Amino acid sequence: MYLGLDLGTSSVKAMLIDDQQRVIGVGHAGLTVQRPHPGWSEQAPGDWLRATEEAVAALKASHPTELAAVKGIGLSGHMHGATLIDAKDRVLRPCILWNDTRSHAEAAALDADPRFRALTGNIVFPGFTAPKLAWVKNNEPDTFAKVAKVLLPKDFLRLWLTGEYLSDMSDSAGTSWLDTGKRAWSSELLEATGLTVEQMPGLVEGTDRAGTLRAELAEKWGLGSNVVVAGGAGDNAASACGMGTVAEGQAFVSLGTSGVLFAANASYLPKPESAVHAFCHALPKTWHQMGVILSATDALNWHSTVTGKSAGELTGELGDVLKAPTGVTFLPYLSGERTPHNDAKIRGAFIGLGHESDRVVLTQAVLEGVTFAIRDSLEALKSAGTKISRVTAIGGGSRSRYWLSSIATALDMPVDIPADGDFGAAFGAARLGLIAATGADPLSVCTAPQTAETVEPVKALSSAYEAAYGRYRALYPAIRGI
C-alpha cells in the first residue's frame, strides 16, 4: 500500500492506494484561512499537523489492515507558502499563503533585478516565497533575524514526518530562489533577499527517497518500520502526476480554488514576460508551464455567498446546454491576477449590467469570466512555445458540464473528462510514494486515466464567444487605472 498526503488550502486529504494503483480509501480533515487584513492570507502550520493526524486517523478507522501495509508516502501541498522556523524548529509566525498579496511592492523590487527572471524563468509574483521573506525583513525584522529555515508547506509536514529538511524541485521552483534550468538553489538570488543556501532545505527530485517516517508516528498510525517518504511535489505537479500529464504536449485544466492551465514540457521553456510559470516537474529532467488565475471556483463561491445559493444550485440553473454570452462580463480578479497581468492590485468587476440582469445572467457571466481568464493563459502558453490540442479537466468546477462546454468553446479544443476516480494531487502524491519506495519507472506509473466523456467546442457559438472574449480582453486596461 502507498499513502498520498495532499495539504490543500481548505483541507488535508489522505489517500491510500494499492500496488495496482487502486484507490482503497480516503480520509479528510478541514482547514481554514485567516485574513487579518485586506490582501492577507495565512494559516497556522500547527493546524496542518492536526489535520493530517485527523485524515490519517479516518483512514486507520476504516482501513487499519491496509494502512498497516504502507511502504511509501508521497507529499503534495499548496505552493509558495513561507513557513518560517527557528533553530529549534519552532514556527515563528503564521505561514503566508500563495494567495497573499501583501508583498507586491517587494515583488516588484525583486522583479526589477534582471537576475531573477534570468535564473528562475519567471516573474517574481507577490504570491511567491522570496518577496514574502523580503516583506518579513522589512516589516518584522525581529522575526526575520530568527529564521533558521524557510520551508514550503508540504516540507514543513515532511519535517514533522521525518525530521528532514528537504524539498522537491517542482515546489521549490515557485520560490523565486531556484535556478530552474539547473535545478539548484541560486546563492545570488538568496543573497538578494538577505538569505543563504544554508537556510534552505536540501533539494531532491519528486520521485526520490526523501526521508523515512519517524518511528513514533509509524507506531501511532499502525505502520511498519522504514516507510519511505518521497520528495513529492507542489500541488499542480502532483495533480499532473495523478493525471499522467508528464510528457510533451499533454495538458490539463484545473478548476479548483485557483485555476490552472498546465502543460508538460520535455525541455525548459521560460517566457517570464507572458506571466507564464515555467517550473521543474516532479519527474527528473522534465519541466512544465502553467498559466495561473487566482480565482476560479473561488469566484463562483464568492457569487454563492452573495446570492445565498450553493454553487451547485447556481450552475444547475444554467443547465447543461451552452448559451451565447449575454453582454454582461465578469472579471474574476477578486484577489488580483497572475497570468497574464501580474497585477496584485486589480480587483473584479461586473460590466454591462441592466435591469434584465438576473441571478442566472450573473452566474453565466461568472463562469464565462473564469473561462476567458483560462483562455488568457492559453494565449500566454502559446506565446511561450507550447502547443496543445486538447485538455483534461479536473477540480471541483469540472463537475459542471456547462462550464466545461464554455471552456471547450473558448479554447476551441476538446475537453476530456476522466473516468470515475480521483486523479488529483493526493493520487499523484501516492504515485510518487510508490515510485520512491519501489524504484518503479515513473512513466510506467504516471499513466493517464481512461476518458469517460469528451466535451467538444460548440462551433455555432464560436463567433459569439470570440466577440465576448474580445470585450473581456479590452476591460482589463480600461479598469486598471481605477
Side-chain angles (χ1 to χ4, degrees):
M1 298 288 165
Y2 305 92
L3 179 64
L5 295 175
D6 175 39
L7 171 56
T9 311
S10 58
S11 69
V12 169
K13 184 174 185 177
M15 177 180 286
L16 193 62
I17 68 170
D18 65 13
D19 54 6
Q20 300 301 307
Q21 301 192 46
R22 292 175 295 217
V23 177
I24 304 302
V26 178
H28 293 272
L31 292 167
T32 57
V33 174
Q34 287 72 52
R35 301 183 186 277
H37 302 286
W40 288 34
S41 181
E42 299 183 337
Q43 282 180 332
D47 289 348
W48 305 335
L49 310 187
R50 169 198 55 77
T52 302
E53 290 268 34
E54 290 179 14
V56 174
L59 272 181
K60 185 178 180 182
S62 57
H63 298 88
T65 304
E66 294 89 344
L67 188 65
V70 165
K71 300 298 181 188
I73 298 174
L75 304 178
S76 162
H78 48 78
M79 298 176 66
H80 317 303
T83 316
L84 311 181
I85 60 174
D86 68 11
K88 294 185 178 180
D89 294 344
R90 292 175 300 204
V91 175
L92 292 169
R93 67 169 332 281
C95 175
I96 307 176
L97 297 183
W98 58 274
N99 54 354
D100 187 294
T101 56
R102 77 185 73 176
S103 61
H104 56 88
E106 288 82 1
L110 295 178
D111 194 51
D113 181 338
R115 294 176 297 176
F116 278 88
R117 292 193 184 191
L119 291 171
T120 71
N122 292 279
I123 290 171
V124 182
F125 291 96
F128 284 13
T129 320
K132 292 169 182 167
L133 268 291
W135 183 92
V136 173
K137 184 179 180 182
N138 291 340
N139 294 274
E140 299 175 358
D142 291 345
T143 298
F144 187 83
K146 296 174 187 173
V147 173
K149 292 285 184 188
V150 181
L151 297 177
L152 295 162
K154 78 160 190 342
D155 300 319
F156 179 77
L157 204 58
R158 183 199 320 279
L159 175 62
W160 173 66
L161 292 169
T162 69
E164 302 282 354
Y165 307 104
L166 292 170
S167 187
D168 82 289
M169 302 295 178
S170 71
D171 214 357
S172 297
T175 61
S176 291
W177 291 314
L178 194 76
D179 184 326
T180 308
K182 292 182 178 178
R183 303 171 89 94
W185 293 122
S186 167
S187 55
E188 271 188 87
L189 302 184
L190 286 161
E191 185 180 345
T193 43
L195 296 166
T196 66
V197 173
E198 287 68 36
Q199 289 169 290
M200 296 296 109
L203 289 171
V204 296
E205 296 291 350
T207 53
D208 286 347
R209 294 180 172 226
T212 55
L213 185 65
R214 289 191 295 117
E216 174 192 344
L217 283 174
E219 182 179 358
K220 184 176 183 180
W221 295 348
L223 276 58
S225 58
N226 298 317
V227 176
V228 171
V229 177
D235 51 3
N236 289 302
S239 292
C241 291
M243 290 298 302
T245 308
V246 293
E248 182 82 31
Q250 295 176 326
F252 70 78
V253 60
S254 173
L255 289 172
T257 303
S258 59
V260 173
L261 183 61
F262 182 110
N265 304 116
S267 58
Y268 175 46
L269 295 171
K271 192 178 180 185
E273 61 271 23
S274 67
V276 165
H277 298 14
F279 290 161
C280 302
H281 209 323
L283 276 56
K285 298 180 182 178
T286 56
W287 287 260
H288 67 82
Q289 290 176 325
M290 292 191 299
V292 177
I293 66 171
L294 292 179
S295 297
T297 60
D298 235 12
L300 183 59
N301 291 338
W302 167 82
H303 182 48
S304 169
T305 301
V306 172
T307 59
K309 295 285 186 179
S310 72
E313 288 174 316
L314 291 169
T315 56
E317 289 178 336
L318 285 171
D320 291 337
V321 178
L322 192 66
K323 302 175 180 67
T326 65
V328 176
T329 304
F330 176 71
L331 303 181
Y333 309 140
L334 300 178
S335 57
E337 192 55 291
R338 287 216 194 143
T339 310
H341 303 307
N342 183 31
D343 190 336
K345 294 182 178 179
I346 197 69
R347 288 296 180 266
F350 279 110
I351 308 291
L353 297 173
H355 288 293
E356 69 283 3
S357 303
D358 60 10
R359 183 175 65 228
V360 176
V361 167
L362 299 187
T363 301
Q364 181 180 342
V366 168
L367 299 194
E368 288 169 358
V370 174
T371 290
F372 292 144
I374 292 167
R375 168 71 182 272
D376 273 351
S377 288
L378 175 65
E379 298 302 325
L381 260 64
K382 285 180 181 177
S383 76
T386 291
K387 296 178 181 178
I388 53 178
S389 58
R390 64 193 309 124
V391 294
T392 301
I394 62 171
S398 66
R399 289 192 291 268
S400 168
R401 291 295 186 275
Y402 188 97
W403 212 343
L404 297 187
S405 183
S406 176
I407 290 169
T409 304
L411 271 53
D412 192 28
M413 66 178 66
V415 175
D416 295 325
I417 303 171
D420 282 346
D422 189 337
F423 307 103
F427 183 65
R431 280 180 156 180
L432 293 172
L434 186 159
I435 294 165
T438 65
D441 172 31
L443 293 180
S444 69
V445 173
C446 297
T447 55
Q450 294 294 312
T451 297
E453 181 184 346
T454 297
V455 178
E456 297 286 349
V458 180
K459 295 295 186 180
L461 294 179
S462 293
S463 60
Y465 255 72
E466 202 62 30
Y469 177 60
R471 291 194 298 272
Y472 176 89
R473 287 285 295 170
L475 285 170
Y476 169 75
I479 71 165
R480 182 174 55 187
I482 56 170

